[in-house]
Structures are given as structure tokens and as C-alpha cells.
PDB file of all heavy atoms in Angstrom:
ATOM      1  N   SER S1096     237.127  87.438 -38.297  1.00 96.00           N
ATOM      2  CA  SER S1096     236.816  86.681 -37.083  1.00 96.00           C
ATOM      3  C   SER S1096     235.941  85.466 -37.394  1.00 96.00           C
ATOM      4  O   SER S1096     236.126  84.395 -36.803  1.00 96.00           O
ATOM      5  CB  SER S1096     236.130  87.585 -36.048  1.00 96.00           C
ATOM      6  OG  SER S1096     234.917  88.104 -36.551  1.00 96.00           O
ATOM      7  N   ASN S1097     235.002  85.611 -38.346  1.00 97.00           N
ATOM      8  CA  ASN S1097     234.172  84.462 -38.705  1.00 97.00           C
ATOM      9  C   ASN S1097     234.964  83.418 -39.485  1.00 97.00           C
ATOM     10  O   ASN S1097     234.694  82.223 -39.379  1.00 97.00           O
ATOM     11  CB  ASN S1097     232.952  84.926 -39.497  1.00 97.00           C
ATOM     12  CG  ASN S1097     231.850  85.438 -38.593  1.00 97.00           C
ATOM     13  OD1 ASN S1097     231.233  84.689 -37.858  1.00 97.00           O
ATOM     14  ND2 ASN S1097     231.601  86.738 -38.633  1.00 97.00           N
ATOM     15  N   CYS S1098     235.937  83.855 -40.260  1.00 97.00           N
ATOM     16  CA  CYS S1098     236.832  82.914 -40.927  1.00 97.00           C
ATOM     17  C   CYS S1098     237.621  82.119 -39.888  1.00 97.00           C
ATOM     18  O   CYS S1098     237.762  80.892 -39.992  1.00 97.00           O
ATOM     19  CB  CYS S1098     237.776  83.659 -41.862  1.00 97.00           C
ATOM     20  SG  CYS S1098     238.939  82.610 -42.764  1.00 97.00           S
ATOM     21  N   GLN S1099     238.131  82.815 -38.875  1.00 96.00           N
ATOM     22  CA  GLN S1099     238.853  82.142 -37.798  1.00 96.00           C
ATOM     23  C   GLN S1099     237.939  81.197 -37.033  1.00 96.00           C
ATOM     24  O   GLN S1099     238.365  80.121 -36.601  1.00 96.00           O
ATOM     25  CB  GLN S1099     239.458  83.185 -36.848  1.00 96.00           C
ATOM     26  CG  GLN S1099     240.567  84.003 -37.460  1.00 96.00           C
ATOM     27  CD  GLN S1099     241.731  83.143 -37.908  1.00 96.00           C
ATOM     28  OE1 GLN S1099     241.882  82.859 -39.091  1.00 96.00           O
ATOM     29  NE2 GLN S1099     242.534  82.694 -36.974  1.00 96.00           N
ATOM     30  N   LEU S1100     236.689  81.600 -36.868  1.00 95.00           N
ATOM     31  CA  LEU S1100     235.712  80.760 -36.180  1.00 95.00           C
ATOM     32  C   LEU S1100     235.522  79.438 -36.920  1.00 95.00           C
ATOM     33  O   LEU S1100     235.500  78.364 -36.315  1.00 95.00           O
ATOM     34  CB  LEU S1100     234.384  81.514 -36.088  1.00 95.00           C
ATOM     35  CG  LEU S1100     233.337  81.011 -35.102  1.00 95.00           C
ATOM     36  CD1 LEU S1100     233.860  81.069 -33.683  1.00 95.00           C
ATOM     37  CD2 LEU S1100     232.068  81.852 -35.235  1.00 95.00           C
ATOM     38  N   VAL S1101     235.409  79.515 -38.232  1.00 97.00           N
ATOM     39  CA  VAL S1101     235.256  78.306 -39.042  1.00 97.00           C
ATOM     40  C   VAL S1101     236.476  77.414 -38.908  1.00 97.00           C
ATOM     41  O   VAL S1101     236.366  76.198 -38.717  1.00 97.00           O
ATOM     42  CB  VAL S1101     235.031  78.677 -40.523  1.00 97.00           C
ATOM     43  CG1 VAL S1101     235.079  77.424 -41.394  1.00 97.00           C
ATOM     44  CG2 VAL S1101     233.699  79.386 -40.699  1.00 97.00           C
ATOM     45  N   ARG S1102     237.659  78.013 -38.981  1.00 97.00           N
ATOM     46  CA  ARG S1102     238.884  77.210 -38.944  1.00 97.00           C
ATOM     47  C   ARG S1102     239.123  76.576 -37.575  1.00 97.00           C
ATOM     48  O   ARG S1102     239.701  75.494 -37.494  1.00 97.00           O
ATOM     49  CB  ARG S1102     240.065  78.083 -39.348  1.00 97.00           C
ATOM     50  CG  ARG S1102     240.048  78.429 -40.834  1.00 97.00           C
ATOM     51  CD  ARG S1102     241.103  79.435 -41.219  1.00 97.00           C
ATOM     52  NE  ARG S1102     241.050  79.724 -42.664  1.00 97.00           N
ATOM     53  CZ  ARG S1102     241.651  80.738 -43.248  1.00 97.00           C
ATOM     54  NH1 ARG S1102     242.375  81.594 -42.505  1.00 97.00           N
ATOM     55  NH2 ARG S1102     241.546  80.923 -44.551  1.00 97.00           N
ATOM     56  N   SER S1103     238.690  77.240 -36.511  1.00 95.00           N
ATOM     57  CA  SER S1103     238.887  76.664 -35.184  1.00 95.00           C
ATOM     58  C   SER S1103     237.828  75.623 -34.836  1.00 95.00           C
ATOM     59  O   SER S1103     238.093  74.718 -34.050  1.00 95.00           O
ATOM     60  CB  SER S1103     238.882  77.772 -34.122  1.00 95.00           C
ATOM     61  OG  SER S1103     237.620  78.410 -34.060  1.00 95.00           O
ATOM     62  N   CYS S1104     236.644  75.728 -35.443  1.00 96.00           N
ATOM     63  CA  CYS S1104     235.538  74.818 -35.096  1.00 96.00           C
ATOM     64  C   CYS S1104     235.335  73.691 -36.103  1.00 96.00           C
ATOM     65  O   CYS S1104     234.738  72.658 -35.772  1.00 96.00           O
ATOM     66  CB  CYS S1104     234.234  75.589 -34.970  1.00 96.00           C
ATOM     67  SG  CYS S1104     234.211  76.866 -33.701  1.00 96.00           S
ATOM     68  N   PHE S1105     235.804  73.880 -37.348  1.00 97.00           N
ATOM     69  CA  PHE S1105     235.524  72.891 -38.383  1.00 97.00           C
ATOM     70  C   PHE S1105     236.787  72.379 -39.087  1.00 97.00           C
ATOM     71  O   PHE S1105     237.103  71.210 -38.988  1.00 97.00           O
ATOM     72  CB  PHE S1105     234.537  73.474 -39.405  1.00 97.00           C
ATOM     73  CG  PHE S1105     233.164  73.690 -38.846  1.00 97.00           C
ATOM     74  CD1 PHE S1105     232.803  74.932 -38.322  1.00 97.00           C
ATOM     75  CD2 PHE S1105     232.240  72.664 -38.816  1.00 97.00           C
ATOM     76  CE1 PHE S1105     231.542  75.141 -37.785  1.00 97.00           C
ATOM     77  CE2 PHE S1105     230.966  72.861 -38.284  1.00 97.00           C
ATOM     78  CZ  PHE S1105     230.621  74.104 -37.766  1.00 97.00           C
ATOM     79  N   ALA S1106     237.466  73.230 -39.816  1.00 96.00           N
ATOM     80  CA  ALA S1106     238.636  72.769 -40.568  1.00 96.00           C
ATOM     81  C   ALA S1106     239.682  73.875 -40.630  1.00 96.00           C
ATOM     82  O   ALA S1106     239.398  74.971 -41.114  1.00 96.00           O
ATOM     83  CB  ALA S1106     238.224  72.356 -41.990  1.00 96.00           C
ATOM     84  N   SER S1107     240.888  73.589 -40.140  1.00 96.00           N
ATOM     85  CA  SER S1107     241.935  74.612 -40.067  1.00 96.00           C
ATOM     86  C   SER S1107     242.390  75.059 -41.446  1.00 96.00           C
ATOM     87  O   SER S1107     242.968  76.148 -41.580  1.00 96.00           O
ATOM     88  CB  SER S1107     243.136  74.076 -39.281  1.00 96.00           C
ATOM     89  OG  SER S1107     243.664  72.908 -39.911  1.00 96.00           O
ATOM     90  N   ASP S1108     242.146  74.236 -42.470  1.00 97.00           N
ATOM     91  CA  ASP S1108     242.572  74.597 -43.819  1.00 97.00           C
ATOM     92  C   ASP S1108     241.425  75.145 -44.665  1.00 97.00           C
ATOM     93  O   ASP S1108     241.549  75.253 -45.885  1.00 97.00           O
ATOM     94  CB  ASP S1108     243.188  73.388 -44.524  1.00 97.00           C
ATOM     95  CG  ASP S1108     242.211  72.218 -44.658  1.00 97.00           C
ATOM     96  OD1 ASP S1108     241.142  72.255 -44.007  1.00 97.00           O
ATOM     97  OD2 ASP S1108     242.522  71.267 -45.403  1.00 97.00           O
ATOM     98  N   TRP S1109     240.304  75.516 -44.021  1.00 97.00           N
ATOM     99  CA  TRP S1109     239.149  76.005 -44.774  1.00 97.00           C
ATOM    100  C   TRP S1109     239.475  77.302 -45.496  1.00 97.00           C
ATOM    101  O   TRP S1109     240.166  78.171 -44.976  1.00 97.00           O
ATOM    102  CB  TRP S1109     237.967  76.248 -43.830  1.00 97.00           C
ATOM    103  CG  TRP S1109     236.733  76.764 -44.535  1.00 97.00           C
ATOM    104  CD1 TRP S1109     235.846  76.045 -45.263  1.00 97.00           C
ATOM    105  CD2 TRP S1109     236.268  78.119 -44.568  1.00 97.00           C
ATOM    106  NE1 TRP S1109     234.840  76.852 -45.751  1.00 97.00           N
ATOM    107  CE2 TRP S1109     235.075  78.132 -45.350  1.00 97.00           C
ATOM    108  CE3 TRP S1109     236.727  79.319 -44.031  1.00 97.00           C
ATOM    109  CZ2 TRP S1109     234.349  79.305 -45.587  1.00 97.00           C
ATOM    110  CZ3 TRP S1109     236.010  80.481 -44.270  1.00 97.00           C
ATOM    111  CH2 TRP S1109     234.825  80.472 -45.039  1.00 97.00           C
ATOM    112  N   ARG S1110     238.973  77.391 -46.708  1.00 97.00           N
ATOM    113  CA  ARG S1110     239.101  78.634 -47.462  1.00 97.00           C
ATOM    114  C   ARG S1110     237.833  78.833 -48.284  1.00 97.00           C
ATOM    115  O   ARG S1110     237.313  77.882 -48.869  1.00 97.00           O
ATOM    116  CB  ARG S1110     240.323  78.608 -48.374  1.00 97.00           C
ATOM    117  CG  ARG S1110     240.297  77.529 -49.450  1.00 97.00           C
ATOM    118  CD  ARG S1110     241.529  77.592 -50.323  1.00 97.00           C
ATOM    119  NE  ARG S1110     242.735  77.264 -49.588  1.00 97.00           N
ATOM    120  CZ  ARG S1110     243.966  77.413 -50.078  1.00 97.00           C
ATOM    121  NH1 ARG S1110     244.125  77.912 -51.310  1.00 97.00           N
ATOM    122  NH2 ARG S1110     245.014  77.076 -49.373  1.00 97.00           N
ATOM    123  N   PRO S1111     237.302  80.043 -48.309  1.00 98.00           N
ATOM    124  CA  PRO S1111     236.117  80.310 -49.132  1.00 98.00           C
ATOM    125  C   PRO S1111     236.490  80.370 -50.609  1.00 98.00           C
ATOM    126  O   PRO S1111     237.668  80.447 -50.960  1.00 98.00           O
ATOM    127  CB  PRO S1111     235.638  81.673 -48.625  1.00 98.00           C
ATOM    128  CG  PRO S1111     236.882  82.324 -48.099  1.00 98.00           C
ATOM    129  CD  PRO S1111     237.751  81.220 -47.563  1.00 98.00           C
ATOM    130  N   VAL S1112     235.477  80.351 -51.465  1.00 98.00           N
ATOM    131  CA  VAL S1112     235.704  80.509 -52.899  1.00 98.00           C
ATOM    132  C   VAL S1112     236.070  81.960 -53.203  1.00 98.00           C
ATOM    133  O   VAL S1112     237.000  82.239 -53.961  1.00 98.00           O
ATOM    134  CB  VAL S1112     234.447  80.095 -53.697  1.00 98.00           C
ATOM    135  CG1 VAL S1112     234.643  80.354 -55.192  1.00 98.00           C
ATOM    136  CG2 VAL S1112     234.125  78.630 -53.452  1.00 98.00           C
ATOM    137  N   GLU S1113     235.335  82.883 -52.583  1.00 97.00           N
ATOM    138  CA  GLU S1113     235.582  84.318 -52.713  1.00 97.00           C
ATOM    139  C   GLU S1113     235.167  85.005 -51.426  1.00 97.00           C
ATOM    140  O   GLU S1113     234.330  84.495 -50.682  1.00 97.00           O
ATOM    141  CB  GLU S1113     234.769  84.933 -53.864  1.00 97.00           C
ATOM    142  CG  GLU S1113     235.238  84.619 -55.253  1.00 97.00           C
ATOM    143  CD  GLU S1113     234.369  85.272 -56.313  1.00 97.00           C
ATOM    144  OE1 GLU S1113     233.297  85.830 -55.969  1.00 97.00           O
ATOM    145  OE2 GLU S1113     234.750  85.229 -57.483  1.00 97.00           O
ATOM    146  N   VAL S1114     235.743  86.183 -51.209  1.00 98.00           N
ATOM    147  CA  VAL S1114     235.339  87.048 -50.105  1.00 98.00           C
ATOM    148  C   VAL S1114     234.991  88.410 -50.690  1.00 98.00           C
ATOM    149  O   VAL S1114     235.757  88.950 -51.502  1.00 98.00           O
ATOM    150  CB  VAL S1114     236.456  87.198 -49.049  1.00 98.00           C
ATOM    151  CG1 VAL S1114     235.995  88.107 -47.908  1.00 98.00           C
ATOM    152  CG2 VAL S1114     236.874  85.835 -48.508  1.00 98.00           C
ATOM    153  N   HIS S1115     233.845  88.960 -50.306  1.00 97.00           N
ATOM    154  CA  HIS S1115     233.396  90.258 -50.817  1.00 97.00           C
ATOM    155  C   HIS S1115     233.393  91.292 -49.698  1.00 97.00           C
ATOM    156  O   HIS S1115     233.010  90.975 -48.564  1.00 97.00           O
ATOM    157  CB  HIS S1115     231.972  90.153 -51.375  1.00 97.00           C
ATOM    158  CG  HIS S1115     231.846  89.242 -52.551  1.00 97.00           C
ATOM    159  ND1 HIS S1115     230.641  89.032 -53.202  1.00 97.00           N
ATOM    160  CD2 HIS S1115     232.775  88.492 -53.210  1.00 97.00           C
ATOM    161  CE1 HIS S1115     230.835  88.185 -54.199  1.00 97.00           C
ATOM    162  NE2 HIS S1115     232.114  87.835 -54.215  1.00 97.00           N
ATOM    163  N   PHE S1116     233.771  92.519 -50.042  1.00 96.00           N
ATOM    164  CA  PHE S1116     233.663  93.649 -49.122  1.00 96.00           C
ATOM    165  C   PHE S1116     232.935  94.787 -49.821  1.00 96.00           C
ATOM    166  O   PHE S1116     233.140  95.017 -51.021  1.00 96.00           O
ATOM    167  CB  PHE S1116     235.043  94.132 -48.667  1.00 96.00           C
ATOM    168  CG  PHE S1116     235.690  93.254 -47.639  1.00 96.00           C
ATOM    169  CD1 PHE S1116     236.761  92.440 -47.976  1.00 96.00           C
ATOM    170  CD2 PHE S1116     235.221  93.236 -46.335  1.00 96.00           C
ATOM    171  CE1 PHE S1116     237.359  91.620 -47.034  1.00 96.00           C
ATOM    172  CE2 PHE S1116     235.807  92.419 -45.374  1.00 96.00           C
ATOM    173  CZ  PHE S1116     236.878  91.608 -45.729  1.00 96.00           C
ATOM    174  N   GLU S1117     232.130  95.524 -49.053  1.00 94.00           N
ATOM    175  CA  GLU S1117     231.405  96.643 -49.646  1.00 94.00           C
ATOM    176  C   GLU S1117     232.266  97.890 -49.769  1.00 94.00           C
ATOM    177  O   GLU S1117     231.958  98.774 -50.566  1.00 94.00           O
ATOM    178  CB  GLU S1117     230.140  96.952 -48.839  1.00 94.00           C
ATOM    179  CG  GLU S1117     230.403  97.317 -47.394  1.00 94.00           C
ATOM    180  CD  GLU S1117     229.136  97.545 -46.603  1.00 94.00           C
ATOM    181  OE1 GLU S1117     228.042  97.506 -47.193  1.00 94.00           O
ATOM    182  OE2 GLU S1117     229.241  97.755 -45.379  1.00 94.00           O
ATOM    183  N   HIS S1118     233.334  97.998 -48.996  1.00 93.00           N
ATOM    184  CA  HIS S1118     234.199  99.171 -49.112  1.00 93.00           C
ATOM    185  C   HIS S1118     235.237  98.967 -50.215  1.00 93.00           C
ATOM    186  O   HIS S1118     235.440  97.853 -50.699  1.00 93.00           O
ATOM    187  CB  HIS S1118     234.890  99.483 -47.776  1.00 93.00           C
ATOM    188  CG  HIS S1118     235.729  98.352 -47.251  1.00 93.00           C
ATOM    189  ND1 HIS S1118     235.258  97.427 -46.353  1.00 93.00           N
ATOM    190  CD2 HIS S1118     237.013  97.994 -47.496  1.00 93.00           C
ATOM    191  CE1 HIS S1118     236.201  96.555 -46.055  1.00 93.00           C
ATOM    192  NE2 HIS S1118     237.287  96.880 -46.741  1.00 93.00           N
ATOM    193  N   GLY S1119     235.889 100.055 -50.602  1.00 91.00           N
ATOM    194  CA  GLY S1119     236.891  99.991 -51.660  1.00 91.00           C
ATOM    195  C   GLY S1119     238.237  99.509 -51.140  1.00 91.00           C
ATOM    196  O   GLY S1119     238.453  99.372 -49.928  1.00 91.00           O
ATOM    197  N   GLU S1120     239.153  99.254 -52.069  1.00 90.00           N
ATOM    198  CA  GLU S1120     240.500  98.846 -51.686  1.00 90.00           C
ATOM    199  C   GLU S1120     241.184  99.973 -50.935  1.00 90.00           C
ATOM    200  O   GLU S1120     241.146 101.119 -51.360  1.00 90.00           O
ATOM    201  CB  GLU S1120     241.327  98.491 -52.921  1.00 90.00           C
ATOM    202  CG  GLU S1120     240.712  97.454 -53.827  1.00 90.00           C
ATOM    203  CD  GLU S1120     239.915  98.070 -54.958  1.00 90.00           C
ATOM    204  OE1 GLU S1120     239.275  99.104 -54.714  1.00 90.00           O
ATOM    205  OE2 GLU S1120     239.944  97.529 -56.069  1.00 90.00           O
ATOM    206  N   GLU S1121     241.810  99.635 -49.820  1.00 85.00           N
ATOM    207  CA  GLU S1121     242.552 100.633 -49.042  1.00 85.00           C
ATOM    208  C   GLU S1121     243.856 100.020 -48.577  1.00 85.00           C
ATOM    209  O   GLU S1121     243.857  99.004 -47.889  1.00 85.00           O
ATOM    210  CB  GLU S1121     241.717 101.103 -47.836  1.00 85.00           C
ATOM    211  CG  GLU S1121     240.434 101.827 -48.224  1.00 85.00           C
ATOM    212  CD  GLU S1121     239.694 102.355 -47.002  1.00 85.00           C
ATOM    213  OE1 GLU S1121     240.360 102.797 -46.054  1.00 85.00           O
ATOM    214  OE2 GLU S1121     238.453 102.312 -47.003  1.00 85.00           O
ATOM    215  N   GLY S1122     244.942 100.626 -48.957  1.00 75.00           N
ATOM    216  CA  GLY S1122     246.239 100.145 -48.515  1.00 75.00           C
ATOM    217  C   GLY S1122     246.616  98.816 -49.160  1.00 75.00           C
ATOM    218  O   GLY S1122     246.226  98.495 -50.282  1.00 75.00           O
ATOM    219  N   ASP S1123     247.374  98.006 -48.417  1.00 79.00           N
ATOM    220  CA  ASP S1123     247.875  96.723 -48.905  1.00 79.00           C
ATOM    221  C   ASP S1123     246.793  95.659 -48.733  1.00 79.00           C
ATOM    222  O   ASP S1123     246.524  95.204 -47.624  1.00 79.00           O
ATOM    223  CB  ASP S1123     249.135  96.341 -48.129  1.00 79.00           C
ATOM    224  CG  ASP S1123     249.754  95.041 -48.637  1.00 79.00           C
ATOM    225  OD1 ASP S1123     249.287  94.529 -49.678  1.00 79.00           O
ATOM    226  OD2 ASP S1123     250.679  94.531 -47.982  1.00 79.00           O
ATOM    227  N   THR S1124     246.185  95.257 -49.836  1.00 89.00           N
ATOM    228  CA  THR S1124     245.103  94.266 -49.763  1.00 89.00           C
ATOM    229  C   THR S1124     245.627  92.832 -49.744  1.00 89.00           C
ATOM    230  O   THR S1124     244.849  91.897 -49.566  1.00 89.00           O
ATOM    231  CB  THR S1124     244.149  94.423 -50.955  1.00 89.00           C
ATOM    232  OG1 THR S1124     244.875  94.241 -52.174  1.00 89.00           O
ATOM    233  CG2 THR S1124     243.521  95.821 -50.955  1.00 89.00           C
ATOM    234  N   SER S1125     246.941  92.663 -49.915  1.00 93.00           N
ATOM    235  CA  SER S1125     247.488  91.298 -49.927  1.00 93.00           C
ATOM    236  C   SER S1125     247.330  90.616 -48.575  1.00 93.00           C
ATOM    237  O   SER S1125     247.257  89.386 -48.502  1.00 93.00           O
ATOM    238  CB  SER S1125     248.962  91.330 -50.331  1.00 93.00           C
ATOM    239  OG  SER S1125     249.741  92.057 -49.381  1.00 93.00           O
TER     240      SER S1125
END
């Protein structure tokens, strides 16, 4: 949701360098 917030308020093509999650991989991470 915060990624969508950035793209709607600043730049639609915004992409972070990396995204981190504290939980493990579950299911299809693609």
C-alpha cells in the first residue's frame, strides 16, 4: 500500500532498490 501511495503521489514508475520482509518466503514470491 505504501508503494502504491508513492506511485500515485509522486512517480508512477517508482521502484525501490530493495524490499525487505521479516517473514520467510511463502508460496509464489514472484
